[in-house]
Amino acid sequence: MKFAFRALLSLGGSLWVFCAPGFAVADEESGGRPAEKPLERRSSATAGHVELQRELDELLVTIRDLVKDVQSHRGTSYLSAALDLTTDVESQLQRLERASDGAEAKRIVFRQLNWVRELRLALKALREMKAVQDQADEGAGECAALENTLQDRIHAYVEAPTQEERALRALLSEANQTGAQVRARMDAAAETARLLSAWRATARSFSPSEGAWGRISAHTRESADQIHAHWQEKHAALSKACERLTRGQEHPDVQMARAGISRDSTDQDYRSLGDEFSRWKAELDALRDGTDHPCNTFWLKQLRAACVRQHLRGLSLAASTTLPSTMGARVPEAPAATALVAAPSPARAVHFILRLGFDAGGDSLATVQFTDGSTEGLTAGGGVTVAGGLLYVPTSIPIAIESTIGVKVDTAGASNGEVQFERLVLDVLASVQEQGHRLGGGLTFHLATTFSCTGAIRCPDVTSKNAVGGIMQYAYGGYSSGFVWEVGARLTFIEYEFPGGSINGSSLGVLTSIGY
């Protein structure tokens, strides 16, 4: 049997040797009497181990109570106290480790020392969560107050009809300032939400399940979930209350007020125009009646007719130069003798187009020989393209952007069989346009590219990888009216990757498009 021995020197210099419980060693000076004093010390050491364990359990119970229902605590003082107690728990475990003899006991203590370190990290994360828990509580109310203030300012500006321009500038400036302030608050709240999620994950990572440690783990995880749920609820209310304010001058009520202020200004302009029109009409009526007008001094009909035409030209010119550009107001009806020509409607910028293209070029893919000895070839760049898409031609800047998608197919063969090369084509181009001429370039994407045979011609179907190439294009057409047309030419540069190697699919072609 193997025994564990411990040697101690007494104050008197004699040597005591302790062996396993149940064994005693005789004292040389006592003439072989059992060593009772060392056994008493052993008993005392066992009692000390029990006392250390009891104190450790009390510390764990205290920490358990401190981390329970943290969401309802006021401040972080309870969590700070729990963190301080982890230092005492660690010291207590170290004393237990020194007082433990067995390997199993030491292993248990060592595992609990690791738990203390994990608990400390979890409690620090939980304390951070608690510190920011209430930051979003007042956010919805603050945004509601800012919304009310903005509404008061809107009403004040709208009710100042003689200061339209100044009121509009001030309203937009205040709306943008408020929007910037609220967006900064929302960005900070979003960052806090990200940190809260990380802290919650750290707090929940502490997960022992044994005894008091298990209860501490459960309370820590529940408190982290409660704080996170509270924040999520308040953050959602904050986002809902602040969403309109973050738009700045694009706030719906600001836009309505802006339209109202502009309409008041326009109404005033039209009232002035109406008064001027009434004056012109009175002069014209007087001229027609031949009474109370300077033209009445002329006795020649030709001269009087010239006077009438002069007044009519002045009326048309004044109406065309005085009419405000703001849409939405109603102009007083002109007399029958005056013809006011309506301005043409603005040209559309976006058009839907249908396109037909013919291309030739590229590497040879196959040659079909007919019974009469003639042949027909199939190339990688040739074929007919049918596509549709959108063409954007703004009137304010000399550019155009187009995007089309369609199918490009080339075939060679007869009635009893043929070879076919087919691909799905997506084109995106930008060009400079001036007086109907467009010159530019872009990218072309060829998808689902397949070479196949049918009928009497036998060959395996081969599919190429999706390919990306470039396009240079010139087109001329009409884009200013509702109907769109154009003709043009294009160069395409592309290569296909087949299992046996790459094939050049570049081509030169012509195109024609119509649309509306």
Side-chain angles (χ1 to χ4, degrees), residues 228-487:
H228 188 262
H230 174 84
W231 169 269
Q232 292 287 84
E233 178 185 353
K234 298 302 181 181
H235 188 221
L238 170 68
S239 300
K240 182 177 180 180
C242 300
E243 190 275 331
R244 292 179 5 137
L245 291 172
T246 60
R247 304 185 192 179
Q249 69 178 36
E250 300 302 322
H251 186 295
D253 293 345
V254 173
Q255 288 297 302
M256 291 180 62
R258 182 179 187 178
I261 293 173
S262 300
R263 185 166 55 252
D264 290 342
S265 176
T266 302
D267 291 345
Q268 181 65 30
D269 293 338
Y270 274 108
R271 282 193 293 271
S272 299
L273 178 62
D275 294 340
E276 185 69 13
F277 184 86
S278 297
R279 183 181 64 80
W280 291 334
K281 187 173 184 300
E283 291 183 0
L284 184 62
D285 291 341
L287 180 63
R288 286 174 173 171
D289 294 341
T291 59
D292 194 22
H293 193 275
C295 287
N296 197 35
T297 59
F298 296 95
W299 59 273
L300 294 175
K301 292 184 178 180
Q302 292 81 357
L303 189 58
R304 183 176 178 181
C307 187
V308 171
R309 288 194 298 271
Q310 180 67 25
H311 273 268
L312 291 178
R313 282 198 298 272
L315 176 59
S316 299
L317 177 61
S320 63
T321 56
T322 309
L323 185 64
S325 60
T326 306
M327 304 300 295
R330 178 172 295 177
V331 180
E333 184 179 357
T338 305
L340 297 180
V341 180
S345 59
R348 290 177 51 190
V350 179
H351 308 277
F352 175 76
I353 59 172
L354 292 175
R355 173 165 294 165
L356 180 64
F358 301 89
D359 295 274
D363 292 344
S364 175
L365 293 177
T367 300
V368 178
Q369 184 173 8
F370 301 99
T371 56
D372 62 358
S374 62
T375 60
E376 181 179 359
L378 185 71
T379 61
V384 177
T385 303
V386 178
L390 297 177
L391 173 63
Y392 175 60
V393 187
T395 58
S396 57
I397 51 177
I399 67 168
I401 299 173
E402 68 175 78
S403 177
T404 60
I405 185 169
V407 177
K408 184 175 181 180
V409 181
D410 194 12
T411 62
S415 59
N416 63 335
E418 65 178 12
V419 291
Q420 179 173 283
F421 189 49
E422 182 178 8
R423 52 278 203 203
L424 181 66
V425 179
L426 171 62
D427 296 335
V428 180
L429 293 89
S431 55
V432 178
Q433 65 93 13
E434 182 67 29
Q435 296 182 353
H437 297 274
R438 291 201 300 120
L439 179 63
L443 297 176
T444 181
F445 303 86
H446 289 200
L447 315 173
T449 303
T450 304
F451 175 83
S452 61
C453 302
T454 60
I457 302 177
R458 299 286 186 238
C459 68
D461 291 353
V462 183
T463 300
S464 164
K465 296 180 179 179
N466 294 338
V468 180
I471 296 176
M472 293 182 62
Q473 177 177 293
Y474 166 77
Y476 175 77
Y479 312 103
S480 59
S481 64
F483 178 76
V484 174
W485 64 270
E486 65 178 5
V487 294

